[in-house]
Amino acid sequence: NIINNFISGWILMWERPIKIGDLLEMGELRGKVEAINTRSTRIRRLDGVHMLIPNSYLLENIVTNWTHRDQTIRTSITVGVAYGSDVQLVTALMEQAADEHKCILQEPERSVLFEDFGDSALVFEMLFWINLSGERGLRAIRSDLRYKIDHLFRDNGVTISFPQRDLHLDGVISIK
């Protein structure tokens, strides 16, 4: 096992499928590569905890490298609005929120999709591109956008939906 990890370390250093500074995702874990050694790779999770990953694991399992070629990634946020909302206004307000955020790239252009007629909502998804090498993290940018969208929706009378159920009773109700 030690020899396997040692050889895997040399492969990682020679082929460079990952490099220091890359953002990796392995199942539920995400983190930035801080060091690649001959036996293991040190990754700092987004919560600040360090992990030592055996090099053979990085070669034998599915690992998503978000920043392999560059720091530009696409991400999204989803919002549901009440039925009866002006869908064109919803689209325009979501686009405005993205256009006003300094960390969202103009190219490739962001897009808003009318995703679905949900149980309790008209569902919209906004796809946008950011540069992860910037000062703001992925989660912080998404949070900023949600705050801005909430503010714009309130100012323009658009209601963010919540689960609703109609209850119909058939028959007679007797109260004793």
Side-chain angles (χ1 to χ4, degrees), residues 70-110:
D70 61 30
Q71 300 289 316
T72 304
I73 65 162
R74 187 186 80 183
T75 187
S76 67
I77 59 169
T78 302
V79 65
V81 298
Y83 273 89
S85 297
D86 179 342
V87 295
Q88 299 302 327
L89 177 61
V90 169
T91 300
L93 294 174
M94 291 179 74
E95 289 172 343
Q96 178 183 341
D99 292 344
E100 292 177 359
H101 198 290
K102 65 179 179 160
C103 294
I104 294 179
L105 302 175
Q106 298 300 311
E107 288 295 324
E109 188 177 25
R110 49 93 188 112

Side-chain angles (χ1 to χ4, degrees), residues 82-146:
Y83 273 89
S85 297
D86 179 342
V87 295
Q88 299 302 327
L89 177 61
V90 169
T91 300
L93 294 174
M94 291 179 74
E95 289 172 343
Q96 178 183 341
D99 292 344
E100 292 177 359
H101 198 290
K102 65 179 179 160
C103 294
I104 294 179
L105 302 175
Q106 298 300 311
E107 288 295 324
E109 188 177 25
R110 49 93 188 112
S111 63
V112 175
L113 304 171
F114 187 168
E115 189 69 26
D116 201 1
F117 294 98
D119 287 340
S120 301
L122 303 173
V123 181
F124 290 80
E125 181 180 26
M126 181 165 58
L127 305 167
F128 55 94
W129 293 82
I130 64 170
N131 188 332
L132 271 184
S133 64
E135 69 212 39
R136 302 288 312 231
L138 180 61
R139 293 178 66 202
I141 292 170
R142 287 182 188 149
S143 177
D144 290 348
L145 280 174
R146 289 183 184 108

